[in-house]
Amino acid sequence: MHVEREAPLALLLGPTASGKSAVAMALAERLPIEIVTVDSAQVYRGMDIGTAKPGAAERAAVPHHLVDIVDPRESYSAARFVADARAAIAQIRARGRLPLLVGGTMLYARALVEGLHPLPGADPALRRRLEDEARTLGWPALHARLAQVDPVTAARLEPGDAQRIQRALEVFESSGRPMSEWLASARRGRGDRSPSSMAPEGLEGPASQRFLHVALEPSTRAALHERIAARFRAMIAAGLLDEVRALRARGDLSADLPSMRCVGYRQAWAWLDAGEARIEPLIEAGIAATRQLAKRQLTWLRAMPDRVVVDCLRHDAATQVLEVLRRAWQA
């Protein structure tokens, strides 16, 4: 297939359990692509089952980038993702192949497309204090506090979304300005440019790279929920608890680390802490948390008005995506 030099950079995005990986693998049978993973959990080594990480056979068949690049002790950020993704994209193109960004971490996707917002840096001492308060009061109480100082940000976060609540409070307490105000200022600074046609500085220049968002979204939410439930039960059957036990046995990880806050791992860690004998409470908690994640992901996607939507429940979803990419990439 002939590809225009100025072809858009394609992002295949979707909520958890929408079949992104299966579609990407099917595309690789027809297109000269390499996959750049847009996933804040698959970056961590030793976290395979709960992240639905591509297996050895898949990674041998199609190169996957940004998988297994960080130890679970470390934090991984949107800024680091942008740097790593840009490097991977350049390397793939240098080989004469096509990068396809695939995943569901919408913050990372937005950071790559729009650039990084100039938010205040992390404050470890403040972050520890907020974690201590959350252990005493609970994250819903800190969410209520956030609603008082930054109602715009609080309105888009679930009361149990610990990582984002913590970050929003950290931004406010360290700067005196709510996160929503920081983000609004950044948007005004871009002059309301369309993110689909503009690239952040450093990726083929500030305005030369176009982007194509292809979104795998369900035509019925109930069907996605059924997939989520089936997949989480399959993860338990495949040994998710043993995987979390092995991570706990290392001795240098804790439930407060970003890696262990990932959906599935957080619930499994808490279940093991509680010494619960019955597995069903864990399964229910894991399914509920995954549904909440999918809801947030769909909210992000629906804020992208230029996205091309493909129903992830269609049997020919991969064919539909293939046609979208061919139209965008061919001369």
Side-chain angles (χ1 to χ4, degrees):
M1 181 181 74
H2 174 69
V3 179
E4 283 285 314
R5 187 175 65 83
E6 299 298 330
L9 182 64
L11 294 91
L12 178 62
L13 307 173
T16 185
S18 59
K20 298 179 294 294
S21 296
V23 168
M25 291 300 295
L27 294 173
E29 296 178 1
R30 308 290 296 277
L31 299 171
I33 65 171
E34 296 186 23
I35 294 170
V36 180
T37 303
V38 187
D39 192 298
S40 60
Q42 291 187 2
V43 296
Y44 292 111
R45 292 186 289 271
M47 296 172 58
D48 303 331
I49 297 171
T51 64
K53 193 175 292 180
E58 292 170 302
R59 290 159 71 177
V62 181
H64 285 67
H65 303 266
L66 310 194
V67 175
D68 285 345
I69 60 173
V70 179
D71 187 86
R73 287 191 310 271
E74 302 176 58
S75 294
Y76 194 77
S77 66
R80 186 169 172 186
F81 166 78
V82 170
D84 290 344
R86 287 175 180 170
I89 290 164
Q91 292 163 9
I92 294 166
R93 285 175 166 167
R95 288 191 286 272
R97 296 177 65 79
L98 296 167
L100 178 66
L101 286 95
V102 181
T105 302
M106 306 305 169
L107 175 64
Y108 287 8
R110 187 176 74 177
L112 180 67
V113 173
E114 297 185 21
L116 295 166
H117 296 297
L119 294 173
D123 184 330
L126 176 54
R127 186 164 292 184
R128 284 193 297 271
R129 177 172 66 75
L130 291 170
E131 289 172 352
D132 290 342
E133 291 180 12
R135 276 191 287 270
T136 302
L137 303 174
W139 285 109
L142 269 66
H143 182 267
R145 181 191 302 173
L146 178 64
Q148 295 178 341
V149 299
D150 188 355
V152 174
T153 300
R156 63 179 178 82
L157 300 181
E158 298 289 341
D161 192 350
Q163 191 167 357
R164 292 177 178 81
I165 293 169
Q166 180 191 60
R167 178 58 177 149
L169 285 172
E170 179 187 33
V171 167
F172 175 76
E173 295 193 22
S174 64
S175 70
R177 294 175 63 195
M179 177 179 281
S180 56
E181 185 177 313
W182 281 96
L183 300 182
S185 296
R187 286 191 291 270
R188 288 193 296 271
R190 289 196 302 271
D192 293 325
R193 295 176 300 179
S194 169
S196 64
S197 61
M198 309 300 292
E201 187 71 39
L203 186 57
E204 295 192 358
S208 61
Q209 176 64 65
R210 294 180 298 124
F211 293 89
L212 170 67
H213 296 94
V214 183
L216 288 173
E217 299 178 26
S219 51
T220 61
R221 189 75 62 90
L224 181 66
H225 287 176
E226 290 176 4
R227 283 191 181 187
I228 287 170
R231 190 170 79 156
F232 193 79
R233 290 182 181 277
M235 287 176 175
I236 293 294
L240 175 59
L241 277 173
D242 289 337
E243 187 170 81
V244 177
R245 286 189 182 100
L247 292 164
R248 286 163 61 96
R250 286 179 36 158
D252 61 346
L253 303 178
S254 72
D256 294 330
L257 288 169
S259 59
M260 294 301 104
R261 289 181 186 166
C262 293
V263 169
Y265 293 88
R266 180 171 70 248
Q267 289 73 33
W269 193 293
W271 185 84
L272 290 168
D273 274 347
E276 173 67 58
R278 297 179 305 116
I279 194 68
E280 201 59 33
L282 167 60
I283 293 175
E284 291 173 359
I287 291 172
T290 309
R291 285 182 177 181
Q292 290 173 358
L293 171 62
K295 180 182 177 181
R296 293 194 297 271
Q297 291 169 316
L298 286 167
T299 298
W300 277 83
L301 285 170
R302 287 165 185 165
M304 300 176 183
D306 59 340
R307 76 196 188 283
V308 179
V309 178
V310 173
D311 184 357
C312 67
L313 304 178
R314 290 182 57 137
H315 72 279
D316 62 345
T319 301
Q320 297 294 313
V321 175
L322 176 64
E323 291 308 310
V324 172
L325 294 181
R326 279 181 164 166
R327 286 196 298 271
W329 282 343
Q330 282 184 320

